Amino acid sequence: MLNLKTSHKSGPFSVAYLFVSIISWSFFVEVDAHVGAWHKGMYCMKGNVEGNDDQNTSAVLQPLYNLSKADWWFHHVNQCDEFPPAPGDFLEIPANGKFTVEHANNRAFTTTAANPVLGTFVDGAEHPNLGITDDGKDGGCIVNPNIHTQNETMAAGTAFAISYQSDSSQVTPENLVVFSVLYNTPWQRLATYESPDLPACPAGGCICAVNVTSCGEPNMYMQGYRCIVTNVNPDTSRILAPAKPAVWCEEDSTKCQGGSKQMIYWNQLDGNNIHVTGYDKFGRPKSPGYGLKLGFENGAQHDIFLP
């Protein structure tokens, strides 16, 4: 069941904003984009033009490559961090529960649009042979739809992270902790993530982010959200441990970084937290992703708390 509940009205608060693509809609949709995780709690959902509610935006989905940290961090390169969700709209994360977002190439292919074109896949369409045949591929990577992988089993995985800060200027790679990983994504539009026993957010809410790496050009993506944790156990007083960079450990699992981990930041001018060379066990150039080769288990990350 799709659960995209976003409203939270427990009281007034102040939050410093951070950032965490159809005239009859079937006639024209901008699809030269990549894949994002859409939800009303996201930054840049309406695009990055002041006063314009763009039903056909993919501004937050532009790939991040060879940029300064000041530009790639929460997609500041095109000011997506300056376009917060509407007041009261949050990504709600139930403690020890599940939440659903929509992976899509464009807002028009999600329920965040006024008159969406919805399908099984990220472009609002059906692709019965996607990843099985060479249909939609260019150089091995699927580009129609632009889905960042060769097939479902090779999708690099996606991850959500949370920072227990309401002031965006206080969010850092160390306090933005990966709490949920979904293997073999992005793939289809609907994606459901599991969460561990997270504590409540501060009064102003938390800041969340999603991150994915891609097939082809070695770039990355980063989106921001305003988020809150719901269904919190009143006896929970757990504190998230500072996040450390994941390390490549495909050859030896004992070398994996355990516990609280950062998102993957790579191939930028600065701010990278991983560098890989050589080939993986399948003979392909190494590419970091959210899987066991970097020590990420599928699902809720239960080892992210201080003892």
Side-chain angles (χ1 to χ4, degrees), residues 232-238:
V232 176
N233 182 341
D235 296 325
T236 294
S237 59
R238 310 178 87 180

Side-chain angles (χ1 to χ4, degrees), residues 164-207:
Y164 278 77
Q165 303 289 332
S166 299
D167 180 350
S168 61
S169 68
Q170 299 303 307
V171 178
T172 67
E174 291 75 26
N175 65 36
L176 186 62
V177 176
V178 172
F179 70 90
S180 187
V181 167
L182 189 56
Y183 283 3
N184 307 129
T185 58
W187 188 247
Q188 296 186 350
R189 177 173 63 91
L190 297 181
T192 298
Y193 294 79
E194 299 177 351
S195 56
D197 189 19
L198 295 169
C201 290
C206 291
I207 297 293

